[in-house]
Amino acid sequence: MAYLLKGVSILGASPTDLYIADGVISDKPVDGAEVIDAAGLVALPGLVDVHTHLREPGREDAETVDTGSRAAALGGYTAVCAMANTSPVADTAGVVEQVWRLGREAGLVDVQPIGAVTVGLAGKQMAELGAMATSAANVRIFSDDGFCVADPKLMRRALEYVKAFDGVIAQHAEEPRLTEGAQMHEGEVSTRLGLTGWPAVAEEAIIARDVLLAEHVGSRLHVCHVSTAGSVEVLRQAKARGVRVTAEVTPHHLLLTDELAAGYDPVFKVNPPLRTRKDVEALRRALLDGVIDVVATDHAPHAVQDKECEWSYARPGMLGLETALPIVLSVFGPQWDLIADRMSIAPARIAGLDGHGGDLTKAGTPANLTLVDPSVQRVVDPAELASRSRNTPYAGMTLPGRIVATFLRGEATVLDGKAVK
Ligand SMILES: NC(=O)N[C@@H](CC(=O)O)C(=O)O
Ligand SMILES: [Zn+2]
Ligand SMILES: [Zn+2]
């Protein structure tokens, strides 16, 4: 199928006609192209998420590769990296290949599996990183996300190991001894509510250790869901020294604070926890100045029984794929170059996803892109989400921006705001 996006604005530039044919951007008119009136719409390179939980295999009641892919495409994504904390854990070539194949079958976004660092995420024994890297899934990111690789010797070995194939270890930075029984951010609000606190230093101490380890062995480290002002300062110093470290922030840590725990609604329970206004402001500045490289959703669907219960029993995590761009737009406004870099170009580079995050003004660029209508304000209705789960913290909020269409290698996955299959 060929398309003509008539009057589209590429990254906010003046309106132009954009042709898509044979899976790529074309600079010449194409006969028989379907015309899409794109006046007022902004084209962005398809969004790329380096941190998505798709729950398959094991928790298909919360999400599947298919439903998560649908949520991703509707959110403007063309590629997502699927976290390894499934059941069974994605710690072998067999499991990562299964997830990769399911992604191909769904055909809505590129699903790039992340491999576990340790067997069963148990933090004791290194998983078969090499076998996952050379498998059909071509794994480059490894993470025990959900758990921290707390053993420094194991972390060092994993960092050394992935160097051979330019892999990266994505760390869930949480010193486990400092967060035993933790329910929310440790601070004034946790004291008032009488909930056990998760101190900022539990994150900062691991990041400090890991940037030193990465520096020592010359390997790539990626820090998941950075949530504190102190972490930003550790990262800033490490980057200034030339350490090969990248970092992500989630939409929820850019917007929400620990005050929301006051109603004891577990929809606001997440790991790392929502922090303070001061942290939110530091994270925003870090994303703007590049100390934090990317926005990653940490889309964490959970079944009703795991979320609609008492705070202390609820699983941590919140949905993210379908609201990420509207949240970022609401926080930063229409800074399209920034948004394209932090949500597509930089994440594609970190994940090694060639073909994503490309230049839409160049003929021959793979046609992975999304069209946004920034003039529309929408109320988030959990019942309308494509995700199989409903745990969005933004229910009832009015957010700017609507994803009108998404294209994966020139084929529409979303048209008129609806998934095409
Ligand atoms: N973020 C969360 O609160 N939960 C994630 C795990 C994780 O990202 O650490 C999950 O898998 O549900
Ligand atoms: Zn995590
Ligand atoms: Zn996660």
Side-chain angles (χ1 to χ4, degrees):
M1 188 62 147
Y3 292 95
L4 161 56
L5 311 183
K6 212 164 175 36
V8 74
S9 161
I10 300 174
L11 298 180
S14 26
T16 184
D17 290 346
L18 189 68
Y19 289 93
I20 299 175
D22 301 321
V24 298
I25 303 295
S26 170
D27 52 4
K28 315 188 262 300
V30 180
D31 281 342
E34 181 172 326
V35 181
I36 294 178
D37 176 11
L41 305 186
V42 174
L44 293 173
L47 307 184
V48 176
D49 192 13
V50 296
H51 189 153
T52 311
H53 296 274
L54 293 177
R55 304 298 189 217
E56 190 174 0
R59 285 308 300 264
E60 292 83 354
D61 57 329
E63 197 79 286
T64 65
V65 172
D66 188 75
T67 60
S69 294
R70 203 167 295 274
L74 287 163
Y77 287 85
T78 51
V80 299
C81 299
M83 271 299 174
N85 65 337
T86 50
S87 179
V89 169
D91 59 2
T92 62
V95 179
V96 292
E97 284 186 348
Q98 181 195 356
V99 172
W100 179 75
R101 232 183 352 258
L102 288 166
R104 293 279 297 244
E105 280 165 26
L108 290 157
V109 291
D110 284 342
V111 173
Q112 174 57 57
I114 291 174
V117 177
T118 68
V119 175
L121 308 177
K124 297 282 183 244
Q125 190 193 336
M126 201 152 69
E128 299 167 7
L129 309 190
M132 290 188 269
T134 54
S135 74
N138 199 16
V139 176
R140 285 296 172 273
I141 305 180
F142 296 88
S143 182
D144 274 3
D145 183 53
F147 300 97
C148 182
V149 180
D151 179 341
K153 187 166 160 190
L154 202 53
M155 186 62 181
R156 176 196 174 157
R157 283 231 201 89
L159 284 164
E160 277 172 340
Y161 198 95
V162 299
K163 229 176 129 173
F165 43 84
D166 200 32
V168 56
I169 304 293
Q171 176 71 294
H172 168 114
E174 175 182 0
E175 212 312 303
R177 291 278 285 151
L178 290 173
T179 57
E180 280 169 14
Q183 293 293 330
M184 66 172 295
H185 172 65
E186 179 182 289
E188 277 172 47
V189 184
S190 67
T191 308
R192 197 169 78 225
L193 300 181
L195 291 173
T196 308
W198 193 136
V201 67
E203 173 173 309
E204 294 152 8
I206 292 291
I207 300 177
R209 180 200 78 176
D210 286 354
V211 296
L212 292 172
L213 285 174
E215 183 171 32
H216 183 62
V217 300
S219 301
R220 284 174 63 203
L221 168 71
H222 177 75
V223 184
C224 295
H225 41 49
V226 171
S227 70
T228 79
S231 297
V232 169
E233 285 321 302
V234 175
L235 288 165
R236 189 185 305 281
Q237 290 171 23
K239 285 193 163 191
R241 288 203 307 281
V243 179
R244 299 173 74 198
V245 59
T246 55
E248 67 186 42
V249 63
T250 68
H252 45 277
H253 289 109
L254 287 169
L255 186 70
L256 309 177
T257 67
D258 61 344
E259 292 284 353
L260 289 162
Y264 297 95
D265 182 345
V267 80
F268 300 112
K269 182 173 174 178
V270 65
N271 195 2
L274 300 176
R275 305 283 187 187
T276 67
R277 179 55 46 194
K278 177 178 143 281
D279 295 302
V280 167
E281 274 157 18
L283 294 168
R284 291 178 179 186
R285 280 195 303 274
L287 190 70
L288 284 170
D289 68 22
V291 166
I292 293 179
D293 302 80
V294 302
V295 174
T297 68
D298 193 11
H299 178 80
H302 285 297
V304 170
Q305 70 271 22
D306 294 324
K307 237 13 203 172
E308 291 175 16
C309 55
E310 208 181 294
W311 179 283
S312 61
Y313 295 113
R315 300 251 172 110
M318 38 183 71
L319 300 182
L321 286 169
E322 293 173 77
T323 46
L325 185 66
I327 297 292
V328 170
L329 261 177
S330 78
V331 171
F332 295 102
Q335 300 193 55
W336 299 112
D337 286 304
L338 175 87
I339 291 171
D341 184 73
R342 306 300 195 267
M343 297 186 79
S344 174
I345 300 166
R349 190 167 57 228
I350 290 168
L353 294 171
D354 302 335
H356 292 272
D359 183 348
L360 301 181
T361 65
K362 273 209 198 114
T365 295
N368 296 315
L369 65 146
T370 190
L371 297 183
V372 190
D373 186 346
S375 70
V376 177
Q377 301 272 332
R378 303 213 316 154
V379 179
V380 179
D381 177 358
E384 280 179 5
L385 297 174
S387 170
R388 188 162 279 182
S389 293
R390 291 288 165 265
N391 55 305
T392 175
Y394 311 112
M397 274 179 67
T398 302
L399 295 173
R402 172 174 181 259
I403 302 294
V404 175
T406 306
F407 298 87
L408 178 64
R409 281 180 288 279
E411 299 299 328
T413 55
V414 173
L415 277 179
D416 286 329
K418 293 183 192 70
V420 296
K421 56 177 174 184

